[in-house]
């Protein structure tokens, strides 16, 4: 179903330090991610996530599931929102493993993300 929370991403200064903190805090497990420069895929009991470094003080990114990224991006623009020029690792290997991601802003400037899971 489109619109459900599909993925979250934590931007931090040091992703290794974040693994220690969030692993200790919530018991999450981590595996190597596809983020250039390092990072981890986070395994939680319900919604998967990721963590990347070099993004000190960032707010968590929340991604909503879509079935068709192209149509979803068109709809964002039709409704007065914007789509960030953001490279989320759109190489074929990353898409096959994690799906497609885009960062957007609604018509009032509030940020959110879209995620088309692999195989959608």
């Amino acid at each position: 179903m489109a619109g459900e929370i599909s993925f979250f991403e934590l931007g931090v200064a040091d992703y290794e330090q974040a693994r220690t903190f969030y692993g200790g805090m919530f018991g999450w497990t981590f595996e190597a991610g596809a983020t250039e420069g390092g990072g981890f895929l986070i395994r939680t009991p319900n919604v998967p996530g990721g963590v990347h470094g070099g993004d000190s003080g960032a707010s968590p990114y929340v991604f909503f599931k879509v079935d068709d990224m192209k149509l979803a991006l068109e709809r964002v623009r039709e409704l007065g929102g914007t789509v960030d020029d953001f490279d989320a690792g759109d190489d074929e290997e990353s898409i096959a493993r994690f799906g497609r991601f885009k960062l957007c802003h609604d018509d009032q400037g509030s940020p959110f993300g879209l995620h088309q899971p692999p195989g959608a």
Side-chain angles (χ1 to χ4, degrees):
M1 172 192 288
E4 64 203 46
I5 295 178
S6 173
F7 195 85
F8 70 92
E9 181 79 15
L10 302 172
V12 298
D14 182 324
Y15 60 86
E16 289 284 354
Q17 185 175 337
R19 175 172 71 166
T20 300
F21 178 87
Y22 288 104
M25 180 78 190
F26 300 121
W28 293 344
T29 58
F30 298 77
E31 64 184 64
T35 304
E36 188 172 313
F40 297 103
L41 180 63
I42 301 170
R43 298 286 182 199
T44 74
N46 44 24
V47 177
V51 62
H52 64 272
D55 201 0
S56 180
S59 296
Y61 301 100
V62 177
F63 291 86
F64 299 98
K65 180 181 176 185
V66 297
D67 297 322
D68 184 314
M69 183 64 76
K70 183 179 176 184
L71 291 175
L73 296 176
E74 289 173 6
R75 188 72 179 139
V76 167
R77 292 181 182 107
E78 287 171 6
L79 292 169
T82 59
V83 177
D84 291 0
D85 184 24
F86 163 73
D87 177 15
D90 287 340
D91 62 89
E92 292 305 315
E93 181 180 335
S94 179
I95 291 169
R97 186 170 175 199
F98 303 108
R100 297 179 186 280
F101 294 88
K102 287 292 182 183
L103 293 176
C104 304
H105 288 82
D106 67 17
D107 63 340
Q108 298 181 67
S110 296
F112 68 97
L114 298 176
H115 174 225
Q116 178 182 323

